[in-house]
Structures are given as structure tokens and as C-alpha cells.
Amino acid sequence: MAKFSLCLLLLFAVLVGHGIVELEATHHIYSRLQTPQNETKTPWDYRFQPYRTGYHFQPPWHWINDPNGPMIYKGIYHLFYQYNPKGAVWGNIVWAHSTSRDLINWFPHPPTIFPSQKSDVNGCWSGSATILPGEKPVILYTGIDPDKKQVQNIAYPKDLSDPYLKEWVKSDKNPLMAPDNVNNINASSFRDPTTAWQGPDNIWRVAIGSKINDLGFAILYKSKDFLNWVKAKRPLHATRHTGMWECVDFYPVATNSQCGLDTSTLGPNVKHVLKISLDDTKHDYYTIGSYNYTTDKYTPDKGLIDGDAGLKYDYGKFYASKTFFDSAKNRRILWGWINESQSVADDIKKGWAGVQAIPRNIYLDGSGKQLVQWPVSELEQLRSSPPVNVFDKRLEAGELHEVTGVTAAQADVEITFEITDISKAEEYRPRWTHAQWLCNTKNASVRGGLGPFGLRVLASSDSQEYTSVFFRVFKKADNKPVVLMCSDQSRSSLNEDNDKTTYGAFVDVDPIKEKLSLRSLIDHSIVESFGGSGRACITARVYPITAIEDKARLYAFNNATEGVTISTLSAWSMKKAQIS
Amino acid sequence: MGSSIFLFTLFIAFHLLIFRQQPSIFAAADMNLIQKTCKNTKYYDLCVSSLKSNPRSSSVDTKGLANIMVGVGFANATATSSYLSSQLLSTKTNDTTLKKVLKECADKYTYAGDSLQASGQDLATEDYDYAYLHISAAADYPNACHNAFRRSPGLAYPAELARREDGLKQICDVVLGIIDHIISSS
């Protein structure tokens, strides 16, 4: 009996010593890796910073993750985000806050939401903003209570006349929604409330992701006054074998325009999008479907799947994304968190981790079968004129064409290819349904008839380090084309500690009917690529050792066995933005 | 007289034999469906014996078999709830902790029954994900009861209740397996 007690004590000590959290949360607690209080390191101690971005949002240092509560108020855009004020790993999480007039240049404010009540004493996790009638923003967010349970709280601006909304207060009614003995909600799987929407009955609805075993679902809560919430009997949607649904997002899209819609919009030319961030795979998936507001049930269109076989916003590193309705310009804007692909040790060495993607305009494709994304047009103000232009250039088989005259580590490049016949393209096999696998098997060094061709970015002049973003065109048995887009990071860095996974996506375009286009936003350690005018998006993080700053090069390449024609290539050096 | 009785008995016996044979022929075909379906579940024997003992099982499809199993689960959950209520009545009035826990458990098993009923409706409309959700919830309610005992120091979790907990969970597991099978073969 004594021996047994001793073993238990030792086990307990080991567990406590490692700071391991008992409950099933998504974050590992690195209690040993936080910057000690008395050691105030500044970013300027970490002098070698070749990977910090020039125009992608990131704070001066420390860890960031999910974008929170994005919104527009009195003409000013707000971005909140999960932030650790004490270290380059997840922990001590608060809502940091920045504002902008153009979604590109940002001004920081002190953190607005941090532990201050019983209902968030152990953490202020993600949530969303809802603009109530009368232009009154409120935030619903997940707090971690004294028993480490996940609960939902409300916060609202202290002073609505402050356009920067610097201070927020919390209701003493918090938590407004919590797991209890009656509702049987899983207390460690109940988080990330969506922006709420109001039905024709004037009742507000909000969705919160949860799971039971490996069945993920979105719990629905309803309210008349936004303070008293009642759980609906049925969830908004559920899918077997998907695991926990984080950062659920639910919003309407217009079927007959590219304009965004207010979150409460319903009507004949409206469909809905349900997006889920799957904890098990760390990817964001969406379906397009129909929302029945009388039964409060969402049904995805036939053929669309929630989960790993389904559509993704971005086929690379992109997670915990969230949209908001930009009422000033009638757009729906998508934010996404781009985590590091370096080791935790490297993150600590450099003193920071995480960037946000460039905000993207998101809308339903004309076909109705997928969403299309494109960087907000405000980004173009950073383009240095004039661009470097190339028109109607034939790239012979195996040719590498350098694009000079741009700051290759901080650039915006658009290239289109003209393809008139696909007879020389490789044969496509019907079982090749996994784009990422196909890009790994047929990477940039594997030559085909019509591909690989595309861009080589953050490249060293000796070809020791480079990231390839390219297309590979196949032809099916019926002679119809299949276009594959790859972001190949396998040779991106001589540092073997980085995650150099290659990403891939099929692009639903006919390259003969329309020119095959690729746009890449290059920013030191991030490459955000858009294929087919935004029908396939792939974001990657790369950390070259030599191909940095003025040593980085930009090329157009064609490693196919046949030549290909560049119809247009435009490359701009990008000015630095005020990134936070 | 003797020969008439003999002939009559022979006649009756003959008919009894015939009517015993015919149902067996159908049963053989449906046994195949039951066996095929149950092979996809975690508890084959439980699945087969539960389905076989229900006369409807010989004339339904796989969805119908899932429905029958849901009914088995509902009966099981309801029986446990009744058992707990009767335990509650026979408990000494001064044992307030035990009474509280027994009441909570009785409620949980009733909720499990409610969830199973709801899942039956979802099966009918082929809302398989919702059905799955309700059955998963039903399988989770016994945990809430078990936790109620854990939270009360000094209260031992009765072996009979542990047996019933496992029983309901296994039945639910069987239904989940059948639903997965229905979806993957559609």
C-alpha cells in the first residue's frame, strides 16, 4: 500500500513538473518556456530576423494564433487575436487588439480582453463580434472558468464614442452559456462562438463547436435579448468521425454576385457556408448548403463533405480562420492564422511565432460549387510602380527565367500561362484523387509533358534553396484537362529542422478556355499563392538560410519536356506596411 | 375411432411440421442479413442475439435492423431508469447522499432513453449524422451517472449498475456500427 502511494506521488510530481493539463484542450502548456518576469527581452535582442514579414500582420514579438472578433465599426477595421504577452509559445492567452483604415496598415492598442472574472480566470480563448442593431458591437468569446471548463462570455465596448473601442467591459451575468448537469455539454469541447445571426422571428442564434467522442457538431443557442440564451434541441449540423469542431463559422453568400452579405441575410439568392476547423487535422474545411431558419438546420449540398475529403479554404498552412461582413465595401473578408513551420526551439530563439494571412475577399464561384478568394485590393497600394513586366514569352523545356528588378523576398507576382493544346500532357489516372500526395510524388523535379511550370520563389542563385509554386496539367481519358497546383517546399531550406511538407490542390479551371493564372505573395518566410484567380489557395511557411533579403531571387521556370508560353508576368516590389 | 384419432393426429403433426419449415426458409435468408450487418459491429454476438429475438427482424432491411437495435437500447435504458427509481424508494430516508445520486442516475438513464427515441426519428428520415449524435449522447449518459457516484466519496458504484452501464454502451456501439455500415454501403 505504501509503495503504491509512493508511485502515485511520483507520477503526480512528474505530471505537475511537466505542467501537463488534465483536460482535453488543443494547446500543450509550455510552462517552462515562458519568458520569466524579471527578464525583459526586447525584439532587438534577437537581431538576426530574416523571417519577419514586411506586409503580413504580426505583432513585434511573441506568440499569436486565432484571429478573433474581426469587424468594422465607424469606418475602422478591428482585428483582435490570441496573443501571449510573455513568450513565443502558446500560453497566458489574451485578446490583443489592432485597428486599421485599410486592412493593410495597423495600429496597436493594449490588449482588450484578458482574465478578469471567474468565468475567464483561466484564459480568454477565441470568439466573434456581432454588430447589434444601432451599430452596437458585442463580443462573445470562450472563457476558461476556475474548474477549467469552457464557457461562453459576453463583452461590450465601454465607450461607443471611442472609434478605436480601446476598452471593453464584461457582463456580471457571465458565463451566458456553460456546460452543466442538465445540458450534458462536454466541458472540454465547447468553444469558439460564431458571429450571431438574427432570424425573421427576431431571435438571435449562435453556433458553438463541440464533439461527442469523434462526432463533431455545432451546438445552437438562441436568444431574444442577447443575454439569456437557450440551447436548441438540435445542433445546427453534425458529422460523424470528424472530431472536435473548432472556430465554427456560419454565413450567407450571394448566388448572383461577388458581394458579401450581412450575417443575418436570408432570401432566394442566398446560400450558406458552414466552415469547421478540425482539431484532428489542423485544417479548415467548408461546405456550401441550405439553411432552414424554421428548423434551424443546415444541410450541405449533395456531394459536399465535412472533413478531410472535403473542400478547404487553403490547402497549405492555414487554420482557425474567421470571416466578417465589411459593411463599408459590401464584402465578406476572411482572416486566417498561419502558424510557423519551424521547430519550437527556433520559435523561441527568434522570439515570435505566427502571422496572419493577408485578408481575403471571399465569395461564391459562378458555378456555385466552391468559394473563391482573392487578397483585398487595398494590398495593391504597397506595390512599387512600375512593375517588372514580361509579355508573350516562350519558356522552353527546362528553362529558368530570372525576374530581376524586384525585391524578391518581399514581392507580389502574377503570372499567366497560355495553353492551346493538351495533347502532350501526362495521362491522368482516376485514382489520383489526393492532390497533396500527387504533388509529393510528382514534385518540381519530376518532368511531365505539360508541367511542372510556375514560379521559383525565395530562391538562392546557386539553386540550393528554393520554393516552387507550379502547375501540372494532365489529360483524362476523355481528353478533358485536370490542373494540379503545388507548393513544393522540399528544397526551401538547407535547415533540416523545418517542416518542409509539400502542399497541393486541384484547380477547377479549363486552361484552354481561360489563361492559367498564378499569383504569389512573397514575404520573407511566407508564400501565399492563388491559382486560377483564387479558386485554389495554398499558403506555406519557408525559412531559407541563404535565400534571404537581398540574396533571394525570383524565377519563372518550366521543367516540362515541352515549352510553355508565359502570356503575362508582372512582378512588384512590395513596400513595407505598418504591420501592427 | 382409434384410426380417426390417429389420422387426425397425423394430420395435425404434418401441418405443424409444414408450418415450422416455411418460416425457417425465410429465417435463413434474413439470418444472412443479420449476420452480415452484425459483422460490422463491435459486439457481434450481442447484435445477433438481440436482432434474432425480435420477430420483425426477418422482414426489414438494414435500416430496420438499426431501428430494432435502437428499440433494444430504449428498453434497456428505460429498465435501468425504473430499476434506479425502485432502488431509490427502498433506500433508507436518512441516506440523503445516496438518494440524490440515485435520483440523478435515474434521470440520466431516462435522458438516454429520450436520446434513443430521437435517434429513431432521425433514422426514419435518414438523417444519419443526427442519429449518430443522439446515440453517442445516449451512450454518454451512463458516464454522467458514474461520475455522480465518483463525486460522492464513500459511495461505492454498485456492480449491478456497472453491468447495466456496460450493457447500454454496448448496445449503442452496435447501433453506431450498423449506421456506419449503412452509410459506407450506400
Side-chain angles (χ1 to χ4, degrees), chain A residues 395-537:
Chain A
L395 265 187
E396 296 308 336
E399 188 179 338
L400 199 62
H401 169 86
E402 186 171 357
V403 180
T404 53
V406 291
T407 51
Q410 193 169 301
D412 181 355
V413 192
E414 292 194 50
I415 184 168
T416 61
F417 295 93
E418 173 152 8
I419 290 157
T420 46
D421 112 83
I422 62 166
S423 55
K424 299 278 192 337
E426 292 169 76
E427 220 180 276
Y428 173 78
R429 282 185 225 268
R431 61 184 175 84
W432 289 346
T433 51
H434 205 265
Q436 184 164 327
W437 173 86
L438 199 48
C439 287
N440 272 282
T441 313
K442 291 179 184 290
N443 62 26
S445 56
V446 175
R447 313 188 71 177
L450 201 49
F453 55 82
L455 295 171
R456 205 183 251 200
V457 306
L458 293 169
S460 60
S461 51
D462 59 3
S463 295
Q464 282 298 296
E465 292 182 321
Y466 53 87
T467 299
S468 307
V469 187
F470 60 90
F471 295 112
R472 195 182 284 272
V473 183
F474 300 90
K475 67 171 190 270
K476 293 199 282 191
D478 57 5
N479 276 321
K480 291 229 171 75
V482 172
V483 180
L484 178 72
M485 173 183 169
C486 306
S487 189
D488 180 346
Q489 282 74 243
S490 58
R491 306 206 46 164
S492 59
S493 171
L494 293 169
N495 182 349
E496 292 303 325
D497 288 338
N498 296 328
D499 169 13
K500 296 192 274 185
T501 309
T502 287
Y503 308 122
F506 289 108
V507 193
D508 190 10
V509 289
D510 185 334
I512 299 187
K513 296 211 175 99
E514 61 179 282
K515 300 218 175 97
L516 196 49
S517 71
L518 169 65
R519 178 178 181 187
S520 283
L521 300 177
I522 306 159
D523 197 0
H524 299 273
S525 64
I526 179 169
V527 183
E528 252 186 280
S529 300
F530 300 83
S533 306
R535 284 193 199 77
C537 310

Side-chain angles (χ1 to χ4, degrees), chain A residues 180-184 212-215 217 233-241 296-298 306, chain B residues 104 108 111 122 125 127-130 132-134 136-137 139-141 144 151 179-180 183-184:
Chain A
D180 60 36
N181 232 11
V182 178
N183 61 32
N184 230 55
I212 212 172
N213 298 330
D214 72 347
L215 183 141
F217 61 106
K233 269 198 168 297
R234 299 182 110 215
L236 179 66
H237 189 51
T239 307
R240 300 140 54 245
H241 308 310
D296 274 317
K297 195 168 156 214
Y298 169 75
D306 300 294
Chain B
E104 189 173 338
K108 293 305 177 200
Y111 297 153
D122 291 318
T125 52
D127 265 319
Y128 292 121
D129 286 307
Y130 279 118
Y132 210 91
L133 172 64
H134 283 122
S136 302
D140 196 46
Y141 278 116
R151 282 195 304 269
I179 293 179
D180 273 332
I183 295 172
S184 60

Side-chain angles (χ1 to χ4, degrees), chain A residues 109-413:
Chain A
H109 303 286
T112 47
I113 300 183
F114 43 85
S116 72
Q117 286 185 320
K118 222 176 91 166
S119 53
D120 64 12
V121 66
N122 278 317
C124 300
W125 291 13
S126 297
S128 309
T130 306
I131 313 291
L132 299 184
E135 231 199 323
K136 295 191 162 64
V138 293
I139 283 173
L140 285 173
Y141 70 99
T142 298
I144 311 298
D145 79 0
D147 300 318
K148 300 241 173 72
K149 293 194 173 145
Q150 295 170 10
V151 300
Q152 317 311 321
N153 303 321
I154 193 168
Y156 41 91
K158 188 168 175 187
D159 177 8
L160 279 172
S161 64
D162 169 18
Y164 299 104
L165 298 178
K166 287 187 294 290
E167 288 184 80
W168 291 64
V169 294
K170 298 169 191 172
S171 172
D172 52 12
K173 290 195 162 76
N174 284 337
L176 302 187
M177 295 166 253
D180 60 36
N181 232 11
V182 178
N183 61 32
N184 230 55
I185 293 174
N186 184 338
S188 55
S189 305
F190 180 56
R191 55 184 179 271
D192 311 334
T194 62
T195 293
W197 63 98
Q198 201 175 23
D201 48 11
N202 281 338
I203 294 179
W204 289 98
R205 286 123 167 111
V206 73
I208 302 156
S210 186
K211 70 165 180 151
I212 212 172
N213 298 330
D214 72 347
L215 183 141
F217 61 106
I219 296 177
L220 196 71
Y221 267 87
K222 294 166 82 160
S223 170
K224 288 203 178 85
D225 59 5
F226 225 86
L227 276 178
N228 297 288
W229 293 88
V230 175
K231 179 165 166 274
K233 269 198 168 297
R234 299 182 110 215
L236 179 66
H237 189 51
T239 307
R240 300 140 54 245
H241 308 310
T242 46
M244 177 60 182
W245 288 11
E246 302 192 295
C247 301
V248 171
D249 197 5
F250 183 64
Y251 55 90
V253 285
T255 56
N256 54 4
S257 96
Q258 297 182 355
C259 289
L261 297 174
D262 177 277
T263 311
S264 301
T265 309
L266 296 168
N269 297 312
V270 172
K271 288 207 74 109
H272 275 76
V273 172
L274 178 71
K275 163 255 162 186
I276 56 183
S277 292
L278 290 191
D279 192 15
D280 289 349
T281 62
K282 294 291 187 287
H283 286 297
D284 286 359
Y285 306 88
Y286 71 90
T287 55
I288 301 161
S290 306
Y291 168 58
N292 182 330
Y293 62 84
T294 38
T295 57
D296 274 317
K297 195 168 156 214
Y298 169 75
T299 310
D301 289 343
K302 213 164 169 19
L304 294 181
I305 300 165
D306 300 294
D308 216 37
L311 295 170
K312 293 192 182 91
Y313 277 157
D314 188 298
Y315 292 84
K317 189 149 266 187
F318 189 91
Y319 193 61
S321 61
K322 192 179 286 295
T323 65
F324 75 100
F325 174 58
D326 173 2
S327 50
K329 294 192 168 174
N330 280 331
R331 310 179 278 194
R332 183 155 286 268
I333 308 280
L334 171 71
W335 282 98
W337 164 48
I338 319 297
N339 196 4
E340 300 301 298
S341 291
Q342 284 203 294
S343 64
V344 172
D346 279 333
D347 292 346
I348 292 165
K349 254 204 315 204
K350 68 191 194 248
W352 56 272
V355 304
Q356 300 292 332
I358 294 295
R360 301 171 185 179
N361 198 0
I362 187 165
Y363 54 91
L364 190 62
D365 183 44
S367 69
K369 292 194 282 180
Q370 66 162 99
L371 294 170
V372 180
Q373 301 157 59
W374 196 248
V376 291
S377 54
E378 287 91 332
L379 181 67
E380 291 157 34
Q381 75 190 265
L382 297 179
R383 288 173 166 175
S384 292
S385 275
V388 169
N389 280 319
V390 170
F391 298 108
D392 286 320
K393 172 162 171 56
R394 184 99 181 135
L395 265 187
E396 296 308 336
E399 188 179 338
L400 199 62
H401 169 86
E402 186 171 357
V403 180
T404 53
V406 291
T407 51
Q410 193 169 301
D412 181 355
V413 192

